[in-house]
Amino acid sequence: MSWLGPVAAAAGRVAVRLLPAARRDWAEAVWAEAHDVPAGWPRLAWRTGGVLLIAKEGQMARRIGILLLGAVAAGAAAWGAWPGSAGSLSHGAADQGDVIITLALLACLPLLTRWLLGPPDSRAARRLRACFYAAILAIMPAKAAAEMFVGAVPRGGIDRHTFDLVTQGNPLPGSISGGPDWGGEILILFITACYLAVILALTARRTPVAPATLAVGARAGLVLGLVMYAVDPLGVDQIATNPWLHGSATDPLVALAWVLLFGAPMAAGALAGSRGYVPRHPGQAPTVRAWPGFAAGLVSNGVGALTVTALGISTTALMLKSAWMRGWLYHGQHLTASAVYGRELYASGNVAFYAVICVGFPIIGLIMGLAGAGYASVTGPQPGSGDPGGPPGPGEPEPAPDPPPGGRLTDTGARTALRAG
Amino acid sequence: MGARTEFSPQTMWVLAALCEQPSGWQHGYALARQTGLKSGTLYPILIRLADRGLVEACWQEEPVPGRPRRHLYRLTADGFARATAALAEAELARSEVRPGTSPRRGRRGTAPAVS
């Protein structure tokens, strides 16, 4: 059993790395003191206390809970998206690849970002990441259900007639006749990877984006996404769009959606630019304001695009499977079975258009966020005016306390000889 | 009814142990022996006290050959004032509840005299 002590000590030193940097000294202290504890059970009990300390201070229960929750959600999404029906056989390989690569991205990109840029260090950052993960996991099975529906070509009858009418003789991508849409799948995976990489980078510790900027952008984006979803719950199509609005381009809600598409990132950029700006020297204003504006605009329309995409594709998938959803969407309308099939086909075919939204919205957000930051730099307080244009920052750090006689303070790192005992 | 202070009984034991040598540095194992607390209880208490600025910690710079450096603790000025006040309050409450009986600290030992 003599090997047990060194092994436990080595395991302890590794386990200490699980703690936040500010807590590692304390766990190392437990391990250091174990040297003086009598060997055998007392020392084992002492080290067990150290393990409990690491578990408690490292919030291991919370971390394990989040990991399990994520694994269960990912498993459920993969199970829902995995091709298994006859209708999806033609593009089964594409769907399988979609599921596997999406899950690999979700698992690997955070590790890569953590290594390069550090972990998220604010509640806003963690929440934003969780929402992006939830949206991507929700989209995966919903998109598969819509593609499966499009791919299931009716054998005959009026449904086949409707199918031919909707597709106008052109085989739909993903259908038995059209074959797997590899290009589309690769594009969607690329967009997913970009979204994940950008949000992980913006929420990492070493990226200079304030939590307030993330919060402003996320709130603006949520409003944009919800209004867009209210306008187009079944994709952007004159037939499939919100039946309550009758596809009217002059409906106030449609006008509001257009205003928000350009106004939300601009407002978020202006707000973030004015809040996150602390003048240090003349001439610094434009660049200093530009970064929060850029980040807020990107987050705003990224969140908006992901919100409308997740809600829209999920609504389409539910519509295909739930009579209740069809009744909610087309309440008061008496539709024949063939008409219902036609609308389902339109909605399922529109799913691909969300890729355009996911590409276009963030580009608009970037431009408008920068414009908002530029507006804030023109109208906001100028360098040297004495007003930082936002809430007071943390200011200068307080001077470190004097080190103890002959020692160094744990947190300051001051090194002075200590002659103990 | 026990004395109500801002500290838990275990924290009071740690504060009492630290109060015995207010200006001296003590290591964790010594505090554990004085208080009877296990490492899994003692160190979280020390962490909370340090977070509140009542305890300061440092690493022994010149370790004894053959053993790792020790992490050392002592009360700050504010910590000493708060600890003495809390211990005195607890002592007073115990004597009021049970006049004529000795203060009961269980197996952890008795509280040090607070001047």
Side-chain angles (χ1 to χ4, degrees), chain A residues 79-356:
Chain A
W79 179 77
W82 198 256
S85 74
S88 64
L89 287 179
S90 65
H91 52 111
D95 280 351
Q96 286 173 354
D98 187 23
V99 171
I100 290 167
I101 294 173
T102 304
L103 291 183
L105 287 172
L106 290 173
C108 297
L109 276 179
L111 298 176
L112 185 67
T113 316
R114 191 184 186 93
W115 180 56
L116 291 172
L117 298 168
D121 64 347
S122 69
R123 186 175 289 181
R126 284 189 288 273
R127 284 183 178 173
L128 199 55
R129 281 188 179 194
C131 289
F132 265 63
Y133 268 59
I136 289 170
L137 287 176
I139 287 169
M140 205 161 62
K143 174 177 150 293
E147 286 176 347
M148 197 182 296
F149 189 82
V150 170
V153 182
R155 291 181 184 278
I158 193 160
D159 281 356
R160 181 57 193 254
H161 177 71
T162 307
F163 185 87
D164 291 338
L165 199 66
V166 171
T167 60
Q168 296 178 336
N170 299 314
L172 287 174
S175 68
I176 290 170
S177 49
D181 181 18
W182 291 105
E185 292 295 342
I186 290 168
L187 176 68
I188 288 167
L189 285 172
F190 179 71
I191 293 169
T192 306
C194 288
Y195 264 68
L196 273 176
V198 168
I199 204 64
L200 289 171
L202 286 177
T203 53
R205 179 187 294 159
R206 287 197 280 275
T207 308
V209 178
T213 299
L214 296 175
V216 163
R219 284 175 191 147
L222 192 62
V223 173
L224 168 66
L226 290 174
V227 171
M228 280 288 173
Y229 170 70
V231 172
D232 297 312
L234 296 170
V236 184
D237 185 282
Q238 207 167 22
I239 294 175
T241 196
N242 192 335
W244 307 341
L245 302 177
H246 306 293
S248 168
T250 56
D251 190 281
L253 200 59
V254 177
L256 177 63
W258 280 108
V259 169
L260 284 176
L261 176 60
F262 293 91
M266 190 170 182
L271 206 56
S274 59
R275 279 186 175 178
Y277 169 59
V278 180
R280 295 182 191 280
H281 56 78
Q284 197 183 15
T287 52
V288 172
R289 287 183 197 271
W291 175 245
F294 168 90
L298 192 61
V299 169
S300 165
N301 277 25
V303 167
L306 206 58
T307 303
V308 69
T309 301
L311 291 176
I313 299 181
S314 300
T315 303
T316 302
L318 283 174
M319 174 194 180
L320 302 175
K321 296 181 182 298
S322 160
W324 173 85
M325 180 57 80
R326 286 192 295 274
W328 179 71
L329 285 166
Y330 299 104
H331 63 93
Q333 298 183 31
H334 300 286
L335 301 175
T336 63
S338 177
V340 168
Y341 175 72
R343 285 165 198 263
E344 289 173 343
L345 206 55
Y346 267 116
S348 302
N350 274 337
V351 162
F353 190 77
Y354 284 110
V356 178

Side-chain angles (χ1 to χ4, degrees), chain B residues 19 24 31 33 45 52 75 78 85 91 94 98 105 108:
Chain B
C19 273
L31 289 171
R33 279 189 304 183
I45 289 172
R52 293 166 69 177
L75 289 168
D78 183 34
E91 194 74 24
R94 273 198 297 272
R98 294 184 174 184
R105 291 276 320 273
R108 314 291 175 181

